[in-house]
Amino acid sequence: WRVAGYAMLLDHLKAETTILKWPLAPTFWLVAALLIVTALIQLIVLANDVRVRGLRQTVDADVRVDAQGRPRKSSKFATMVAVVSLLGAGATILAANGVPGLRALLPSSPSWLAILMFVVMWGLIVATVPLGAAMIVAGLAGTIATMGFDRAMIGTGIATGDFLANVNIAILPLFLMMGSFAVAAGLSADLYRLAQALLGHLKGGLALATIGACAGFGAVTGLSVATAVTIGRVALPEMRSRGYSPSLATGSIAAGGTLGILIPPSGAMILYALLTDVSIGQMFIAALIPAAIAVLFYMLVIVGYVRVSPTSAPTTTKRESGELLQAIVRSWGMFAMFAIVIGGIYSGIFTETEAAAVGAGFAFVFALLRGKLRRAQFWAVVGETVQTTSMIFVLLIGGMTFSYFIAVTGLAESLKTTIEALNIAPIYIIAILLGIYLILGCVMDSYAVMVITVPIFAPLISAFGYDLIWWGIVMVIVIEVGLLSPPFGVNAFVLKGLANDVPLSAIFKGILPFMF
């Protein structure tokens, strides 16, 4: 509706593009038409979900995970929580528009209204409503209650539109596409073979190789769960067939997977930079030493693990003649892509967005030359990229909607004033925030955690005199720990999906040394 209205305005103004002088209105009419189609498709999906699942679905006996790696459960209780939360949001909107008897129920303080909408949002999340949708419902309801319907829709639309119009946001789908084409080309298997040739002859060598491969692949995908799944599919059968204990095998993969969001170019860091308006390139540079420390300490954990528990890994085997050279030659594509993308960014040849486009193009050509992009594989890569990009963009739109509401209420400023009045040393506030991130990282995807918290916490960090780039790296590392933490560590459930016969207790036993 809003996009169509904007198209009418552009048509009335005869607006054109700057260089080619193309009319702008037809593009926005097309976008409006596509949004109508997708809304209708979503209604069909919703109706089918209600018909098939409804109130009858019970918790599965086995462990299942959703697209973001979270445990998937649904129940009558969850459905009731969702209904109550939606009714609360609806009542807020009606009360804000002067419906008799409801206006008096609204909190008089904007801060209390913000807290109420937080409760609505978390109620929807607990009920397994997708996070982006939960934030949009709560954010819009709160903004309408604060500003009225028309002003809320216009203000939210402008804030979200300005954010999505940022050219740097194109870096996310481009890096995702680069990672998908790299997987299709078999670069993940090449990386593992190289790491295996380098380290496989050592005690616990395949576990060490897994950490090395995860580090290399994390530099391509920038996604934790994707790194754990992709390397896990290659590494887990290899380790288990050679006598590695299930705990060490799964623990090293789960830990290595966390490197996906720490080693640049990282999707989580890109998202943080977009949300806080800091330099993406500086975020990448700032992550290099922490990433190297993480890789080194993960490897030291494995060395200590096999010394304390010699039976967890088989005896060493000699490296075959020519194995290392063959692995290096086979992996030239990964080295070339990494050198072009990261070297281009750090040398100043490319901007971050240009480097992502070049990397995606290189990965596409490389997969094509290897004969890995037949019609089905090509559309699988495109579908995977679109699916992940859509998930992130819905999160971004939800986050912008909710953060606009938070800005309108002045909650961040009110929180800062309250904390300053308590006269607590800023370092203790940092410790409290890190504890919050540890808890959230256990149960939520890293993107979701950042979209919810960054608009509230970043102004506080900046007000206390801390550098936002430093805070971004610290926050990503603490989210990493959350991805491993029992009882809800996302990466543990991902590994459970890859190794159904391994008990969750054994997986967490293997993860704990890496977590510490």
Side-chain angles (χ1 to χ4, degrees), residues 2 6 38 58 102 129 194 216 224 231 248 273 291 313 344 381 385 400 415 466 475 511 513:
R2 289 284 166 177
Y6 188 56
T38 54
T58 56
L102 289 177
V129 172
L194 175 60
S224 173
I231 299 299
L248 177 58
V381 168
T385 304
M400 290 307 299
L415 193 61
Y466 291 95
M475 185 188 66
I511 283 174

Side-chain angles (χ1 to χ4, degrees), residues 133-435:
M135 287 192 291
I136 289 170
V137 169
L140 268 182
T143 309
I144 291 169
T146 307
M147 303 172 63
F149 185 81
D150 283 338
R151 289 177 64 199
M153 294 301 290
I154 291 168
T156 302
I158 290 172
T160 307
D162 286 348
F163 180 78
L164 293 175
N166 183 348
V167 69
N168 287 328
I169 206 169
I171 197 171
L172 276 170
L174 287 169
F175 270 132
L176 289 169
M177 183 173 285
M178 181 179 76
S180 295
F181 279 128
V183 173
L187 289 177
S188 56
D190 293 345
L191 258 181
Y192 186 72
R193 297 290 173 261
L194 175 60
Q196 184 179 346
L198 279 169
L199 304 167
H201 62 287
L202 303 173
K203 180 76 171 177
L206 289 188
L208 294 169
T210 297
I211 299 298
C214 285
F217 194 69
V220 174
T221 62
L223 298 168
S224 173
V225 172
T227 301
V229 170
T230 305
I231 299 299
R233 284 174 180 158
V234 180
L236 193 59
E238 285 275 346
M239 282 194 277
R240 298 195 68 184
S241 67
R242 300 194 187 192
Y244 280 74
S245 72
S247 292
L248 177 58
T250 54
S252 58
I253 296 168
T258 64
L259 297 170
I261 64 169
L262 181 59
I263 293 179
S266 158
M269 288 183 202
I270 293 166
L271 179 59
Y272 175 83
L274 291 171
L275 290 171
T276 55
D277 203 26
V278 299
S279 165
I280 296 173
Q282 287 184 18
M283 283 291 295
F284 287 173
I285 293 170
L288 287 176
I289 292 175
I293 291 171
V295 172
L296 174 63
F297 272 75
Y298 281 171
M299 289 188 169
L300 289 175
V301 165
I302 292 169
V303 171
Y305 198 117
V306 297
R307 282 180 179 272
V308 172
S309 176
T311 58
S312 61
T315 54
T316 57
T317 56
K318 289 185 178 180
R319 183 190 298 151
E320 294 181 13
S321 176
E323 181 184 1
L324 179 58
L325 181 61
Q326 288 178 4
I328 292 172
V329 171
R330 182 74 178 169
S331 302
W332 74 268
M334 180 63 80
F335 291 126
M337 187 164 66
F338 189 80
I340 290 170
V341 174
I342 302 301
I345 292 173
Y346 293 155
S347 64
I349 297 172
F350 307 133
T351 66
E352 294 86 356
T353 308
E354 290 165 348
V358 170
F362 180 91
F364 167 74
V365 171
F366 192 79
L368 201 64
L369 293 176
R370 276 195 167 183
K372 302 286 188 178
L373 281 186
R374 314 239 176 244
R375 183 176 296 180
Q377 290 95 325
F378 173 77
W379 288 115
V381 168
V382 172
E384 180 182 315
T385 304
V386 169
Q387 185 178 14
T388 308
T389 303
S390 301
M391 182 269 290
I392 294 171
F393 271 44
V394 170
L395 278 177
L396 285 172
I397 293 169
M400 290 307 299
T401 304
F402 198 77
S403 63
Y404 181 75
F405 163 60
I406 294 298
V408 167
T409 61
L411 178 64
E413 187 63 31
S414 174
L415 193 61
K416 172 178 166 286
T417 305
T418 303
I419 291 172
E420 285 176 344
L422 294 173
N423 201 25
I424 301 173
I427 194 67
Y428 294 121
I429 304 302
I430 294 290
I432 292 168
L433 296 184
L434 294 182

Side-chain angles (χ1 to χ4, degrees), residues 85 92 110-126 131 134-135 137-139 141-142 402-403 405-407 409 411-412 415 440 449 451-457:
S85 300
T92 303
S111 296
W112 280 108
L113 178 63
I115 292 169
L116 174 63
M117 289 302 103
F118 262 111
V119 172
V120 169
M121 181 185 72
W122 282 108
L124 292 170
I125 293 169
V126 167
L131 176 61
M135 287 192 291
V137 169
F402 198 77
S403 63
F405 163 60
I406 294 298
T409 61
L411 178 64
L415 193 61
L440 292 178
V449 172
V451 167
I452 289 175
T453 60
V454 166
I456 301 167
F457 291 165

Side-chain angles (χ1 to χ4, degrees), residues 457-495:
F457 291 165
L460 284 177
I461 297 297
S462 186
F464 287 133
Y466 291 95
D467 183 81
L468 284 178
I469 289 178
W470 169 82
W471 173 247
I473 302 301
V474 171
M475 185 188 66
V476 166
I477 291 172
V478 177
I479 292 173
E480 266 194 282
V481 180
L483 290 169
L484 297 176
S485 302
F488 302 114
V490 170
N491 279 17
F493 287 97
V494 168
L495 264 296

